[in-house]
Amino acid sequence: MKNFISVADVDNIDALVAKALAFKKEALKSQTLGAGKRLGLLFLNPSMRTRLSTQIAAENLGMKVIVFNVGQDGWALEFEDEAIMSGNTVEHVKDAAPILGKYFDVLGIRTFPSLQNKVDDYSELYIQQFMKYAGIPVLSLESATLHPLQSLTDIITIQETFREQRRPRIVLTWAPHVKALPQCVANSFAQWVNAWGKADFVITHPEDYELDEKFTQGATYEPNQDKALQGADFVYVKNWSTYTDYGRIYNNDPAWMLTAKKLEPTNNARVMHCLPVRRNVELSDAILDSANSIVTQQASNRVWAAQAVISELLGNK
Ligand SMILES: NCCC[C@H](NC(=O)CCC(=O)O)C(=O)O
Ligand SMILES: NC(=O)OP(=O)(O)O
């Protein structure tokens, strides 16, 4: 694996899931693989799970890790080619990335979308520029449109939880929120579930919240949330802002919040969320505090997902 920025970087999802589950059984089984190697983790945006789980994963492989909150502590970076840098940006990624490429063996980057300009966000300019200029493997820690470490974790969690000899019904449901949020977790989940191909996959959201078809193709759209939830084995709850009329909040109907009542017609569904979650806005306390919620298991699997991916990146430098 050269870089890890989307499911397209993965040859075999099942093999990567198996690798992660093997690390879950024996965390230190490849503890010398990364000896003498350094991972740089660059954060342009906040994080708890991604930062800590990726750091733990790299340490389990014997790597040294430096976390750099570039959005907070670093010089303001410019990403546009041929920019006349007379404004607020201090250093071009063209100058910064090659230096990082000398300091590190693998470079992780977290960046969120602006939600102002769809073309710019969906071009993944930031992560693409790092890939172009760093000269070392780049690991997405969540980008403008995708969150592949999260999605790999989600598939791992579904696979280890579902023990029946049939295809699970997985429902991705939009939920209300107080802010306009990126589409990346939803895009990425859809992209991975479709590529995995082992589930009946349904997406439900209010009118105007259609996601980019590039990621959802293969899923069934059901506009009625109650109908979508019928017989669900897994319910993935996520808010996102509008994609078509980009980055807006239209309908924010609290009736879309997932409650215990809404779970009744499901197949005792396990409930998933990438976290952080706004309690009693996206999901009720009653669900999050019940046995149906697997959000902690999901977040804890972030370590094994990251460890499987970093081990692949180390193997193919
Ligand atoms: N890293 C995972 C989720 C990141 C982001 N959530 C947020 O920004 C939450 C912000 C808040 O709740 O104020 C999202 O949903 O795409
Ligand atoms: N789910 C997730 O990526 O969490 P953080 O934003 O805390 O990293």
Side-chain angles (χ1 to χ4, degrees), residues 46-51 110 142 147 150 274-276 302:
S47 166
M48 181 176 90
R49 281 145 289 267
T50 308
R51 172 187 314 234
R110 163 163 289 195
E142 184 172 352
H147 195 355
Q150 180 67 53
C274 65
L275 305 180
R302 293 290 305 268

Side-chain angles (χ1 to χ4, degrees), residues 81-95:
D81 283 328
E82 295 170 33
I84 298 168
M85 290 174 54
S86 56
N88 293 329
T89 55
V90 177
E91 178 160 33
H92 202 284
V93 65
K94 231 181 202 183
D95 300 309

Side-chain angles (χ1 to χ4, degrees), residues 197-208:
K198 291 186 169 175
D200 294 333
F201 182 36
V202 181
I203 303 178
T204 183
H205 55 73
E207 212 181 357
D208 301 318

